[in-house]
Amino acid sequence: MKKNIVIIAGGKGTRIKKTLKNTPKILAPIGKKLLIDYQIEHIEKFKNNNIHFCLGDGSEQILNHLYKKEIKFSYSIEEKPLGTYGALYNSKEHLAESFFILYGDVVTNFNIDFGFQKFEEYGSDFLLISRYTDHPEDSDLIAFDENNDIKNIFRSSEAEYPYPPIACTALMFAQKSSLNNFNQDSKPDIVKNYINRNLGSLTVKHHLSDSYTKDLGTDSRYKNEIKSIDSNLIKRKKIAFIDRDGTLIENNEKNSLNNFKIKDGAIDLISNLQMNQYTVVMITNQ
C-alpha cells in the first residue's frame, strides 16, 4: 500500500530571513547538502512512499532543485498564503485516505512506518508526535489523559507552572476525511487553530517519541543545530534491562518451574517496550 508523505513548505521564512535572505527554509544549506535532501533521504529509507509538497513562497526555487533529483513527487502551490492547514486543505486531491505530515523546516530520524502502525492502531483523526521540549516558552504544549487523548494545546504563558514540558513536534498523521471547514481569509495553523479548536469533535491522540526531531526555522536554532546534525541523526539502539525475580516473575529463588508465576502487568510492560522499539533483555543472578 502506498503511503502518503506531505511536506508543507510554503511559508515565507520570516524567522530565519536574516540568515537565509531569499532562500526558502527547506533549501537551507547544511554542509554539502540542503535541508530538503535530508528529508528526502530519510523518507527513502521507508518503502512505498508518495511525496507531496505543499508549496507557496519560493516554489520555483524548490521545484528547480526537486527536478534534479530522481524522485517521484506531486505538488500544489497556493496563490496566496493560506496557513499550514489551508495549504494542506488546498492539496486534498493529492492525498491518500491517511497520510504523514512533515514541515519543511524540520529534520528528523522518526520511524515513519512505526508511526503509520500506531496511527492505524489508534484509529484517530489525527496522531500528533510529541516530545519533551527544551524550549517550552515557544512550543505548543499539550495536556492529555491516560489514553493519550489530547485535551488541550496551549502555550506556557497560558498555564501555571509546573506543567509537563511535552510539546507537539512538526510531525503528525491525519485522515483525509478529517479535513473540513476552511476559511481562506484566516490562514489557519494545523495544530494551533484547526486541531485545537476542534478537539471536541475530532479524536486527536499523541505519541511521545524520543526520536531526533528539530525545527531549524529560526536563525539561532539553525546556526546551533547544523554543527552536529549528522551525529544527532544517527539512530541510537534502545535497550531495556529488566530484572527477573520480583519484576517479571514472582520471586523464585529456588529456580523451580513449580514456583514459576508471571507478575501482573509484566507481559504488558514487555509488549509496550517492544512496540516502542526497545530490545528487552532480562537479567538475573539466579
Side-chain angles (χ1 to χ4, degrees):
M1 180 183 70
K2 290 290 185 181
K3 295 173 182 173
N4 224 177
I5 313 293
V6 180
I7 299 179
I8 299 179
K12 293 181 177 295
T14 53
R15 297 183 303 162
I16 197 171
K17 200 81 170 178
K18 185 177 180 181
T19 299
L20 296 183
K21 310 302 183 191
N22 294 321
T23 300
K25 289 185 291 185
I26 199 170
L27 298 182
I30 303 175
K32 296 181 180 180
K33 296 190 289 188
L34 304 182
L35 194 157
I36 192 174
D37 299 326
Y38 278 89
Q39 293 185 332
I40 292 172
E41 287 172 11
H42 180 62
I43 291 170
E44 289 180 334
K45 295 175 183 176
F46 307 95
K47 296 180 180 179
N48 300 320
N49 290 314
N50 287 327
I51 307 177
H52 178 77
F53 290 88
C54 295
L55 303 177
D57 197 65
S59 59
E60 185 174 343
Q61 295 180 61
I62 297 169
L63 289 172
N64 285 339
H65 183 75
L66 287 173
Y67 285 132
K68 297 174 186 176
K69 305 182 75 66
E70 295 181 0
I71 61 166
K72 292 182 179 180
F73 66 94
S74 59
Y75 66 91
S76 53
I77 300 176
E78 54 190 24
E79 296 180 0
K80 63 178 183 178
L82 300 174
T84 52
Y85 178 71
L88 189 63
Y89 191 91
N90 188 50
S91 64
K92 281 183 75 172
E93 64 181 284
H94 300 281
L95 304 180
E97 291 308 309
S98 61
F99 50 92
F100 174 62
I101 302 168
L102 171 68
Y103 283 16
D105 55 5
V106 169
V107 174
T108 185
N109 60 6
F110 177 74
N111 187 320
I112 299 172
D113 284 346
F114 173 74
F116 271 112
Q117 180 183 339
K118 294 296 293 184
F119 188 38
E120 185 176 355
E121 287 176 12
Y122 279 131
S124 55
D125 294 307
F126 287 87
L127 174 62
L128 307 186
I129 305 305
S130 59
R131 66 172 177 186
Y132 284 100
T133 177
D134 57 3
H135 51 90
E137 67 284 349
D138 63 346
S139 296
D140 291 322
L141 303 166
I142 59 173
F144 52 91
D145 64 17
E146 66 276 6
N147 296 315
N148 288 335
D149 286 297
I150 294 180
K151 298 302 181 183
N152 189 24
I153 301 171
F154 61 96
R155 285 292 174 130
S156 60
S157 59
E158 300 169 353
E160 291 186 10
Y161 190 82
Y163 47 79
I166 298 177
C168 304
T169 64
L171 312 177
M172 67 194 81
F173 294 82
Q175 301 283 3
K176 182 178 180 178
S177 59
S178 302
L179 306 182
N180 300 298
N181 307 321
F182 171 53
N183 180 351
Q184 290 197 21
D185 297 323
S186 61
K187 301 179 185 178
D189 177 82
I190 297 173
V191 174
K192 286 183 286 191
N193 302 130
Y194 184 70
I195 292 178
N196 200 26
R197 292 174 183 173
N198 292 282
L199 284 174
S201 57
L202 296 171
T203 56
V204 184
K205 300 274 190 178
H206 89 102
H207 174 74
L208 184 61
S209 173
D210 65 352
S211 63
Y212 173 77
T213 301
K214 281 292 182 179
D215 165 7
L216 306 184
T218 69
D219 290 300
S220 59
R221 286 185 208 156
Y222 170 71
K223 291 176 181 177
N224 291 333
E225 205 63 33
I226 59 173
K227 302 171 186 175
S228 56
I229 200 164
D230 288 310
S231 61
N232 287 333
L233 281 169
I234 297 172
K235 192 72 175 178
R236 270 71 175 179
K237 192 169 182 65
K238 300 189 290 186
I239 304 175
F241 294 90
I242 305 178
D243 187 36
R244 190 190 76 168
D245 288 5
T247 305
L248 294 180
I249 67 172
E250 300 290 352
N251 284 324
N252 189 6
E253 295 178 0
K254 294 182 179 181
N255 263 345
S256 168
L257 282 175
N258 294 329
N259 297 326
F260 178 82
K261 183 180 179 182
I262 297 175
K263 284 186 70 72
D264 291 342
I267 299 299
D268 289 338
L269 169 64
I270 294 171
S271 177
N272 187 266
L273 287 168
Q274 290 176 334
M275 282 295 297
N276 283 280
Q277 301 174 292
Y278 279 84
T279 296
V280 181
V281 179
M282 184 187 75
I283 55 176
T284 181
N285 62 354
Q286 301 297 322

